[in-house]
Amino acid sequence: MKRVALLVQYDGSNYSGWQKQKNAITVQEILDRTLFKITNHSVKTFAAGRTDAGVHASGQVVHFDSDCVIPGNSYSDILNSLLPSTIRILESVEVKDCWHSCYSALYRHYRYVINNSKFSNLFINNWSWHRYQKVLDEVLMSNASKRMEGEHDFFAFQKSRSNRKNSITKIKKIDIKRVEDLILVDIKATGFLYGMVRLIVGQLVLVGEKKISPEIFTHRWVNKKKNDVKESAPAKGLCFINAVYEENVFQKINNNDFFPVFLIKGFS
């Protein structure tokens, strides 16, 4: 048996998330089914992080074990010839048996994109939240977010149905910047709670629109006021950028190229 790692991109618009579900089409189901066609045996894939329905990934990391004779670096081309156009394998490599896409990751990086223009944009509608009612104050949003860096209990930013034992996780860094009409919210953390990023963004938008103060924002999550955190950003603006490991597993793609460049450069 050998272990193969995949660097995967997908447009999550028409999928019910990453993880297999009953009576729903998911990215994992499509990938596992395609790997079965290639290897002639059932393959179980593991991802660096789960994504919900409608959430995208520009650099999802997946691994699986197989005794198939196909070289690890050949899976990307073979899979891309069989997968739908909404799922692409950027690279495939053979890794050590002890390496795990989820447990070996040092941290994960998510990005949320807000289109703060007065006008919607056909080319980014499926990849951003068109929040146009007011001009957002990204500096106020950034200042409000900084206290979240470090290890904290983020119970207030966890949706129901979570199966985690606790809601403590470590946010390494939060960056919020404006590029013309786009506001990019980048969050890097060792782990993410169910619905965490979308709830954080939903509250930060209220700060940016000056509907709540940075102090109220902080009070809600520090004091676990989950019932006060009602606004959640829509799924389509969220993208799993990549997972970072102690050693760089993939060599063909630059980390800066994970996210669709036109979303940033097109507005600069």
Side-chain angles (χ1 to χ4, degrees), residues 3-22:
R3 181 158 292 185
V4 177
L6 305 174
L7 187 59
V8 187
Q9 281 190 344
Y10 52 85
D11 180 342
S13 301
N14 297 316
Y15 294 105
S16 296
W18 157 259
Q19 192 173 22
K20 282 184 179 178
Q21 300 177 34
K22 293 182 178 179

Side-chain angles (χ1 to χ4, degrees), residues 106-109 169-172 187-192 196:
L106 299 177
Y107 64 89
R108 291 116 177 118
H109 175 190
T169 192
K170 182 178 182 180
I171 293 181
K172 291 177 64 66
I187 304 179
K188 298 175 182 179
T190 55
F192 288 86
M196 178 178 173

Side-chain angles (χ1 to χ4, degrees), residues 165-205:
K165 293 181 179 179
N166 63 65
S167 47
I168 297 172
T169 192
K170 182 178 182 180
I171 293 181
K172 291 177 64 66
K173 192 173 185 180
I174 298 179
D175 282 317
I176 300 176
K177 65 180 179 180
R178 177 183 286 272
V179 182
E180 297 294 335
D181 288 325
L182 294 185
I183 294 178
L184 311 179
V185 182
D186 287 279
I187 304 179
K188 298 175 182 179
T190 55
F192 288 86
L193 310 177
Y194 177 46
M196 178 178 173
V197 177
R198 291 167 59 192
L199 288 168
I200 289 175
V201 172
Q203 295 297 296
L204 286 173
V205 163

Side-chain angles (χ1 to χ4, degrees), residues 64-198:
F64 64 92
D65 295 329
S66 174
D67 59 4
C68 185
V69 296
I70 297 174
N73 61 3
S74 296
Y75 276 95
S76 54
D77 289 340
I78 299 172
L79 283 166
N80 284 335
S81 70
L82 298 172
L83 287 167
S85 60
T86 49
I87 304 174
R88 294 289 86 186
I89 310 301
L90 300 180
E91 189 175 353
S92 61
V93 295
E94 189 170 343
V95 292
K96 296 177 182 178
D97 292 344
C98 60
W99 185 90
H100 196 285
S101 58
C102 181
Y103 303 132
S104 297
L106 299 177
Y107 64 89
R108 291 116 177 118
H109 175 190
Y110 277 89
R111 171 175 289 170
Y112 198 94
V113 180
I114 303 168
N115 178 11
N116 196 210
S117 170
K118 292 181 179 179
F119 307 100
S120 63
N121 188 313
L122 177 66
F123 297 100
I124 64 170
N125 279 347
N126 288 338
W127 284 75
S128 63
W129 178 19
H130 186 207
R131 187 75 176 195
Y132 59 89
Q133 291 84 353
K134 293 184 179 181
V135 177
L136 293 170
D137 186 333
E138 72 279 5
V139 175
L140 203 60
M141 295 167 64
S142 179
N143 292 340
S145 72
K146 286 304 179 182
R147 189 173 171 183
M148 290 192 294
E149 293 182 344
E151 187 173 82
H152 304 285
D153 190 333
F154 293 104
F155 176 78
F157 295 134
Q158 178 177 247
K159 288 187 176 181
S160 302
R161 294 184 287 125
S162 173
N163 56 7
R164 281 180 61 117
K165 293 181 179 179
N166 63 65
S167 47
I168 297 172
T169 192
K170 182 178 182 180
I171 293 181
K172 291 177 64 66
K173 192 173 185 180
I174 298 179
D175 282 317
I176 300 176
K177 65 180 179 180
R178 177 183 286 272
V179 182
E180 297 294 335
D181 288 325
L182 294 185
I183 294 178
L184 311 179
V185 182
D186 287 279
I187 304 179
K188 298 175 182 179
T190 55
F192 288 86
L193 310 177
Y194 177 46
M196 178 178 173
V197 177
R198 291 167 59 192

